[in-house]
Amino acid sequence: MSSSLCSILIILMLFSVCVATGKNFDAYYIPKLSAVRASVSSKDFQTFFYNQTLDHFNYRPESYTTFKQRYVINSKYWGGANAVAPIFVFLGSESPFDVDIKYLGFVVENVAEFKALLVCIEHRYYGESIPYGWTLDKALKDAKTRGYFSSAQALADYAEILVYLKQKLNARHSPIIVFGGSYGGMLAAWFRLKYPHVALGALASSAPILSFPDIIPRETFYAGVAKDFLEFSFSCHETIRRSWEEIDRGSSELHGLAKLSKTFKTCRPLESSSELKDYLKSVYADAAQYNDPFSRPVEVICNAINGASPRNDILRKIFAGLSTYRNSTCYINPPPTPLSNTELGWHWQTCSEIPTLWSITNNTMFQPAPSGLDKFVNRCKRDFGIAPRQHWVPTYYGGQDIKLILHRFASNIIFSNGLQDPFSYAGILKSISNSVVAVYTAKGSHCLDILPATKEDPIWLVKQRNTEVEIIRKWIATYHADLRAFGKY
Amino acid sequence: MSSSLCSILIILMLFSVCVATGKNFDAYYIPKLSAVRASVSSKDFQTFFYNQTLDHFNYRPESYTTFKQRYVINSKYWGGANAVAPIFVFLGSESPFDVDIKYLGFVVENVAEFKALLVCIEHRYYGESIPYGWTLDKALKDAKTRGYFSSAQALADYAEILVYLKQKLNARHSPIIVFGGSYGGMLAAWFRLKYPHVALGALASSAPILSFPDIIPRETFYAGVAKDFLEFSFSCHETIRRSWEEIDRGSSELHGLAKLSKTFKTCRPLESSSELKDYLKSVYADAAQYNDPFSRPVEVICNAINGASPRNDILRKIFAGLSTYRNSTCYINPPPTPLSNTELGWHWQTCSEIPTLWSITNNTMFQPAPSGLDKFVNRCKRDFGIAPRQHWVPTYYGGQDIKLILHRFASNIIFSNGLQDPFSYAGILKSISNSVVAVYTAKGSHCLDILPATKEDPIWLVKQRNTEVEIIRKWIATYHADLRAFGKY
């Protein structure tokens, strides 16, 4: 095995464990779309590159280096600067624009009605927006270069591009609304808080902005996963709850791991029972996070578990759930494939400033487990030579006592969530003030509201989106009235 | 002349020109204090050093370097964490703590009544808070090291120390009010805007937060200086207005510069009439900025100008004004003395991100002049190899359309000003909302309200301070009511 392949393998293993213990925010999953309303496709966008400042916050010689940052614009529906028509900005998150575009549904579907200019900016270090024109892999291997890869720099990038664009378009008073989902939702909310002079409002979809130390308990995530399974089926929840000891028991037998490997059709022989348990945890977590009303993964898994026979063979039931949901030739540790941009970049982001680690307490369908911070820190040190700055995000962006702090400060943020998504419990589920509001659905999943609409959308999802549209419409109407009152329009 | 002395001389000349064309915010001047009410002196403070992060916004290997940052605490009057008693924090600006302490008047005089903990944090790169334990001179000579000297880093320093202190004191819910004057006032206002989760409110005294490109016209500063002179005496204003041409005429004569040097008792022969004119501009600007009701420098200068004889000798009148006000053995280009920490540091800060340049239009007592941006940029390039990032401050902190932007966002900021101070016209002179308010006096000068109280304080100054105290009292009362409503207290 070549050394480079070997190193990819190591990173892959690490990431797969990271997904299990420190759940990734990213919405990899897109529900089946039968009838997309969106009338804007990628070919409607014009691509531009902005000469972005590498380091906004320092004045070292290297800080002045610039790199090409990609942004795309669709001006088909824009009402123009004279009409102070709005600018809708989708903030790129931990993926290249080509992936982000799949989440543009809500924004794209509303540009025409709002006569909005549509802008999408790629997050630094993803896609084609990597300093020195390097690959992300190369940038991440260089300790100095990867060091500029941070959320504060990304927000400053957005501010710089938007200030530039408004000037270029002579659209000083056109209100900007920023949109984002998951980590991108965190960025959207933080952007409105840090740059209220650039963005009038933000829609932060499925943004777990409270998932940081000392803000919410560490156990909310897996408790949320278990809740989804329990809600759908008590017996399924029970089977999963009992399966962990069954796996431990099986692995302790003679040739136990070999038997488990066979039962679970693993791509390579299991080296420990934890490998299997971590994998299954990640499968259930994924299913809960993306438990949308179309593909209903929790229902799929549970129906398979509940329907499998023989009825007393817990492990066969668990495998039935897994194989029906994932439907692969083999499971766990598949042959290595090149890591995606998102996998590479997010690993750095969690190791530098966004360590999202969750513990498990009693009374869920999982075995109790600590958050694994020490292990995680050691991995970060090994891969990048640093430990996460765990307290920086709460220090810079806040989060503690958020209602107390923000109910008399800030305005115009929608925090949208779907309660099927276990990350929603690290989001804002109660309105903070009249204009910093929580809009959630009991049956919604991760980022569901900003995905493209379909003909099969249930009424509660249609209502959620309509509510969001109405709130944004109100922000803009109030702003237009203010403009007139201030004699600017 | 040794090369190091030579380089100091060059910097000094540059700074003296910079003072004339790009006026310094710093309040060097302290009015005569006949009876200071303050009951806390420097010996009441306990000194601490915090291991501060060199670079909060990046994750480069060097970013993790720490340096000792000085902060001092007076806990004599604190009501304690259980009583959720407030924490008053004086944010250091462009000087060492030993200088800052002179501006602590207002804060010190109110700690007892508010039962507040008093904290004063030194700004990075000043006093004893310089990375690597270097001198500022040495730090500024190193392009990499000086690069971390920025306002955003300074605010993050304050946030990190205050979050740490609250945790250490177990005072999570004690409200923090930040105070600052001049550049420190800008920092206080920006701190409330960027870190509302750390500070409940800010008193920003004489903070010219609008003195950036495209926010206010560049001519407000010298127009404000001229206004002070015109208000006091039309004939004085006229004499000064006519003096510039008189200087130009004089310098164009045979041996004219030598004669002017003699008339104005210059420490070294004048090399150009501009040297004299720039110096006089800076004298008038200083007098206006610090035109307090005690020493009344504008009155002092104008009385000397108006009273000098012969009545038709304009230059003798001008010199009479200068010599009465400055009262020195010689004027302009005095023998070089070591530059102060403030002079050194502020030169860098103006060259990196706070280029405060003012132009002069017709109809003032000055000769029309451009802002001198090109010259200034060239000097910055020569001294530091960089041009100022002119648009960064408005991009990061805002300022354009500030009332429109903030009247539905933000809360709890007092912008206090005295209209004698020409910088006040780059400050906030109209309230933005119910709790982002302007409190100014027509006769006040730069930072006057936060200086120590005296028995001779005029009633309008006493009233201004009382208004500020009442506003802060209301913020804290509202916050305490919120705490109870939220069940935190």
Side-chain angles (χ1 to χ4, degrees), chain A residues 55-60 147-148 150 153 173 194 197 353 389 395-396 401 407-408 411 482 488, chain B residues 55-60 147-148 150 153 173 194 197 353 389 395-396 401 407-408 411 482 488:
Chain A
D55 181 5
H56 300 276
F57 300 98
N58 295 315
Y59 300 94
R60 304 167 78 255
Y148 299 106
S150 74
Q153 297 282 10
H173 290 121
K194 294 288 186 200
H197 47 286
E353 61 181 14
R389 274 187 190 157
T395 298
Y396 189 52
D401 294 324
H407 83 298
R408 294 184 193 277
S411 55
D482 283 347
K488 307 269 182 192
Chain B
D55 180 6
H56 299 276
F57 300 98
N58 295 314
Y59 301 94
R60 305 167 80 253
Y148 299 107
S150 75
Q153 297 283 9
H173 290 120
K194 294 289 186 199
H197 48 286
E353 61 181 14
R389 274 187 191 158
T395 299
Y396 189 52
D401 295 323
H407 83 296
R408 295 183 192 277
S411 55
D482 283 348
K488 307 269 183 191

Side-chain angles (χ1 to χ4, degrees), chain B residues 213-400:
Chain B
D214 306 328
I215 301 183
I216 53 160
R218 297 287 81 198
E219 59 262 25
T220 58
F221 183 82
Y222 284 105
V225 176
K227 178 193 71 69
D228 287 3
F229 282 82
L230 183 61
E231 265 177 14
F232 179 72
S233 159
F234 176 75
S235 72
C236 171
H237 179 274
E238 273 302 289
T239 306
I240 294 171
R241 192 181 65 76
R242 289 164 57 200
S243 70
W244 314 108
E245 277 185 22
E246 199 66 15
I247 292 170
D248 288 336
R249 203 188 47 73
S251 71
S252 67
E253 283 176 3
L254 190 65
H255 307 304
L257 280 175
K259 274 190 216 167
L260 280 176
S261 302
K262 202 177 158 195
T263 305
F264 283 89
K265 285 197 187 167
T266 64
C267 304
R268 286 188 292 114
L270 288 167
E271 288 174 15
S272 71
S273 63
S274 303
E275 234 180 322
L276 174 59
K277 292 194 291 182
D278 285 346
Y279 177 75
L280 288 170
K281 264 164 71 184
S282 78
V283 167
Y284 302 140
D286 265 9
Q289 184 173 354
Y290 303 113
N291 194 30
D292 68 76
F294 312 105
S295 49
R296 301 184 296 274
V298 169
E299 191 178 329
V300 167
I301 291 173
C302 279
N303 282 342
I305 286 177
N306 291 341
S309 57
R311 297 191 69 177
N312 59 351
D313 191 336
I314 289 177
L315 295 188
R316 286 211 180 275
K317 281 173 165 281
I318 295 295
F319 179 69
L322 167 65
S323 57
T324 309
Y325 175 48
R326 284 276 161 104
N327 191 20
S328 181
T329 50
C330 67
Y331 303 90
I332 319 176
N333 297 326
T337 49
L339 290 176
S340 72
N341 225 271
T342 297
E343 287 165 318
L344 282 168
W346 192 245
H347 180 35
W348 163 258
Q349 293 200 262
T350 56
C351 274
S352 51
E353 61 181 14
I354 308 178
T356 49
L357 300 166
W358 304 101
S359 58
I360 305 178
T361 51
N362 281 319
N363 305 322
T364 77
M365 67 182 197
F366 298 103
Q367 282 180 315
S371 70
L373 179 65
D374 292 349
K375 252 189 182 174
F376 180 73
V377 167
N378 285 337
R379 263 183 239 126
C380 294
K381 282 184 180 165
R382 186 190 63 193
D383 293 343
F384 300 116
I386 59 166
R389 274 187 191 158
Q390 287 190 71
H391 295 279
W392 172 243
V393 164
T395 299
Y396 189 52
Y397 301 108
Q400 253 197 1

Side-chain angles (χ1 to χ4, degrees), chain A residues 116-337:
Chain A
L117 183 75
L118 176 50
V119 182
C120 180
I121 313 175
E122 195 165 57
H123 190 293
R124 61 163 55 195
Y125 287 77
Y126 290 102
E128 294 185 17
S129 303
I130 301 170
Y132 312 118
W134 288 2
T135 62
L136 177 55
D137 192 41
K138 183 174 174 183
L140 285 177
K141 278 187 181 131
D142 185 69
K144 286 186 181 176
T145 301
R146 71 187 175 224
Y148 299 106
F149 185 178
S150 74
S151 62
Q153 297 282 10
L155 293 180
D157 292 342
Y158 299 146
E160 214 181 294
I161 290 180
L162 293 175
V163 165
Y164 160 81
L165 264 185
K166 275 193 155 187
Q167 194 173 25
K168 194 178 134 191
L169 298 168
N170 203 15
R172 172 167 166 181
H173 290 121
S174 280
I176 289 177
I177 310 291
V178 293
F179 301 81
S182 201
Y183 165 58
M186 292 159 66
L187 292 176
W190 292 340
F191 192 77
R192 169 64 182 158
L193 289 173
K194 294 288 186 200
Y195 298 87
H197 47 286
V198 182
L200 175 71
L203 169 59
S205 174
S206 296
I209 58 164
L210 305 182
S211 59
F212 294 91
D214 306 328
I215 302 184
I216 53 160
R218 298 287 81 198
E219 59 262 25
T220 58
F221 183 83
Y222 284 104
V225 177
K227 178 194 70 71
D228 286 3
F229 283 82
L230 183 61
E231 265 176 14
F232 180 72
S233 159
F234 177 75
S235 72
C236 171
H237 179 273
E238 274 301 289
T239 306
I240 295 171
R241 193 182 65 74
R242 289 163 58 200
S243 70
W244 312 108
E245 276 185 23
E246 199 66 15
I247 292 170
D248 288 336
R249 203 188 49 71
S251 71
S252 66
E253 283 175 3
L254 191 65
H255 307 303
L257 280 174
K259 274 189 211 166
L260 280 175
S261 302
K262 200 175 160 196
T263 305
F264 283 89
K265 285 197 185 169
T266 64
C267 303
R268 287 188 291 112
L270 289 167
E271 287 172 16
S272 71
S273 63
S274 303
E275 234 180 322
L276 174 59
K277 291 195 291 183
D278 284 345
Y279 177 76
L280 287 170
K281 264 164 70 184
S282 78
V283 168
Y284 302 140
D286 265 9
Q289 184 174 355
Y290 303 113
N291 195 30
D292 68 77
F294 312 104
S295 50
R296 300 185 296 274
V298 169
E299 190 177 330
V300 167
I301 291 173
C302 279
N303 282 344
I305 286 177
N306 291 340
S309 59
R311 297 192 67 176
N312 59 352
D313 191 336
I314 288 176
L315 295 188
R316 285 207 180 277
K317 281 172 164 284
I318 294 296
F319 178 70
L322 166 65
S323 58
T324 308
Y325 176 47
R326 284 274 160 105
N327 192 19
S328 180
T329 49
C330 67
Y331 303 90
I332 319 177
N333 297 326
T337 49

Side-chain angles (χ1 to χ4, degrees), chain B residues 419-440:
Chain B
L419 299 192
Q420 292 298 300
D421 174 15
F423 280 119
S424 66
Y425 301 100
I428 304 296
L429 298 176
K430 283 186 183 171
S431 290
I432 286 173
S433 66
N434 280 343
S435 75
V436 179
V437 293
V439 177
Y440 66 85

Side-chain angles (χ1 to χ4, degrees), chain A residues 28-97:
Chain A
Y28 293 107
Y29 172 82
I30 308 284
K32 291 164 210 149
L33 307 172
S34 49
V36 176
R37 271 202 274 134
S39 54
V40 177
S41 78
S42 63
K43 66 178 191 302
D44 293 321
F45 287 102
Q46 254 197 297
T47 301
F48 299 89
F49 288 88
Y50 181 78
N51 277 331
Q52 191 57 268
T53 307
L54 183 58
D55 181 5
H56 300 276
F57 300 98
N58 295 315
Y59 300 94
R60 304 167 78 255
E62 297 91 322
S63 307
Y64 292 81
T65 304
T66 58
F67 67 97
K68 301 276 179 203
Q69 182 167 18
R70 179 164 56 161
Y71 65 100
V72 299
I73 293 186
N74 177 303
S75 53
K76 192 171 163 184
Y77 300 104
W78 194 37
N82 288 341
V84 289
I87 302 174
F88 282 4
V89 182
F90 193 84
L91 301 181
S93 56
E94 74 280 29
S95 43
F97 172 66

Side-chain angles (χ1 to χ4, degrees), chain A residues 420-441:
Chain A
Q420 293 298 299
D421 173 14
F423 280 119
S424 65
Y425 300 100
I428 304 295
L429 298 176
K430 283 185 184 170
S431 290
I432 286 173
S433 67
N434 280 343
S435 75
V436 180
V437 294
V439 178
Y440 65 85
T441 56

